């Protein structure tokens, strides 16, 4: 399980959504960086269903996207990152 580095200013990084999502999870949701892995389920990271719903809203605000309800059914961090990256690609970000 690989851990991701945290970034002090994620907006400067022209890569996918991974760094920003990881930073959000660590800073707002108190996720332990040692548990962060693309294979980790959101439950493994300590998020319950209410926290996941809030995370979706935070992701929408952070990236300026609107996640369809059907798409918000991701289980792992990797699935969430892939979903956001697809939305950003469609948006042209």
């Amino acid at each position: 399980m690989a851990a991701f580095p945290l970034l002090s200013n994620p907006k400067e990084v022209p890569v996918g959504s991974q760094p920003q999502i990881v930073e959000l999870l660590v800073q707002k949701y108190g996720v332990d960086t040692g548990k962060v892995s693309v294979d980790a389920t959101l439950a493994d990271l300590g998020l319950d269903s209410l926290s996941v719903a809030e995370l979706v809203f935070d992701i929408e605000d952070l990236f300026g996207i609107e996640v369809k309800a059907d798409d918000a059914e991701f289980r792992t961090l990797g699935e969430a990152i892939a979903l956001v990256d697809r939305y950003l690609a469609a948006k042209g970000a």
Side-chain angles (χ1 to χ4, degrees):
M1 294 182 132
F4 304 115
L6 294 181
L7 304 171
S8 59
N9 189 350
K11 294 183 189 238
E12 293 179 354
V13 181
V15 296
S17 61
Q18 173 183 313
Q20 297 95 323
I21 292 174
V22 171
E23 188 165 358
L24 175 65
L25 287 169
V26 171
Q27 290 184 0
K28 181 170 182 180
Y29 295 90
V31 172
D32 179 354
T33 57
K35 292 183 178 181
V36 174
S37 161
V38 293
D39 297 324
T41 67
L42 299 177
D44 292 341
L45 298 177
L47 278 69
D48 60 17
S49 58
L50 184 58
S51 296
V52 171
E54 186 176 349
L55 175 64
V56 171
F57 290 126
D58 289 337
I59 286 172
E60 289 177 329
D61 291 343
L62 180 63
F63 294 102
I65 59 175
E66 186 175 331
V67 177
K68 296 176 186 173
D70 292 345
D71 289 340
E73 297 295 322
F74 46 82
R75 284 190 58 246
T76 67
L77 177 56
E79 290 172 359
I81 292 167
L83 173 70
V84 173
D85 288 347
R86 280 195 311 272
Y87 272 87
L88 292 176
K91 179 181 164 184

